[in-house]
Amino acid sequence: MEITTRMEFDAGHRIPNHKSTCRNLHGHRYAIEVTISGDIINQENESDFGMVMDFKDAKDVIKRLIVEPWDHAFIVFEKDLEVLDFLNSMKDHKTIVFPKVPTAENMALVAFDILSQAFLKEFKGLIKPINVRLYETPNNWADAS
């Protein structure tokens, strides 16, 4: 069975070598949808009876690992030294240093990797994310699985 939950956050980024305006510092209202796969719990005495997992529990994991760290942060590519130096000069700025250029595609991949590792550790592979969809705008998104 598969379930999907959605959360939103705001963040800034830039695509350093982009041919157009995305090379400028800017932000988006992102949405992340995470699809989780697992068996429906059939033990009648369990809190999650009839569910793959409680949506609140899924959201708690996503919120802790993705939404809270990335919300109202500036996500910067680790090799974008000009912007990284600028952000580091600001006192108490919320900066996320990314191993890849922070495109929607790469952000979806990083989120998928983070969540996959956490679900494996927490749920022993019985429940796992199978897809992360990251909306950069309401009409543009990337899927990682």
Side-chain angles (χ1 to χ4, degrees):
M1 174 62 66
E2 297 173 4
I3 62 170
T4 301
T5 190
R6 175 186 172 104
M7 301 181 79
E8 297 181 357
F9 63 94
D10 298 294
H13 75 147
R14 89 168 184 143
I15 312 303
N17 298 317
H18 193 266
K19 64 185 174 189
S20 188
T21 57
C22 288
R23 72 180 170 275
N24 298 315
L25 304 177
H26 65 285
H28 297 282
R29 176 72 173 168
Y30 289 96
I32 185 168
E33 292 178 353
V34 179
T35 301
I36 299 162
S37 176
D39 293 333
I40 295 173
I41 296 168
N42 289 316
Q43 292 86 5
E44 291 184 26
N45 60 337
E46 294 290 324
S47 173
D48 295 348
F49 176 54
M51 305 175 196
V52 170
M53 77 181 298
D54 189 310
F55 281 116
K56 182 188 180 313
D57 294 338
K59 285 185 173 194
D60 286 348
V61 173
I62 298 160
K63 182 178 180 183
R64 177 173 38 93
L65 297 173
I66 305 298
V67 174
E68 285 179 351
W70 294 5
D71 187 42
H72 284 80
F74 195 89
I75 301 169
V76 60
F77 178 40
E78 66 185 4
K79 294 182 181 177
D80 191 352
L81 300 180
E82 184 177 24
V83 172
L84 197 52
D85 288 345
F86 166 69
L87 295 171
N88 286 334
S89 75
M90 299 174 70
K91 185 179 179 181
D92 299 324
H93 189 272
K94 190 174 180 183
T95 302
I96 302 296
V97 179
F98 241 53
K100 303 173 182 219
V101 175
T103 60
E105 295 89 340
N106 284 332
M107 290 173 68
L109 281 171
V110 168
F112 182 79
D113 288 344
I114 290 168
L115 293 171
S116 292
Q117 291 172 26
F119 271 74
L120 181 61
K121 183 178 178 182
E122 217 167 309
F123 303 106
K124 311 293 186 247
L126 298 174
I127 303 169
K128 60 185 176 184
I130 58 168
N131 192 67
V132 168
R133 173 170 284 178
L134 187 82
Y135 289 85
E136 189 173 85
T137 70
N139 299 316
N140 300 301
W141 64 86
D143 287 319
S145 51

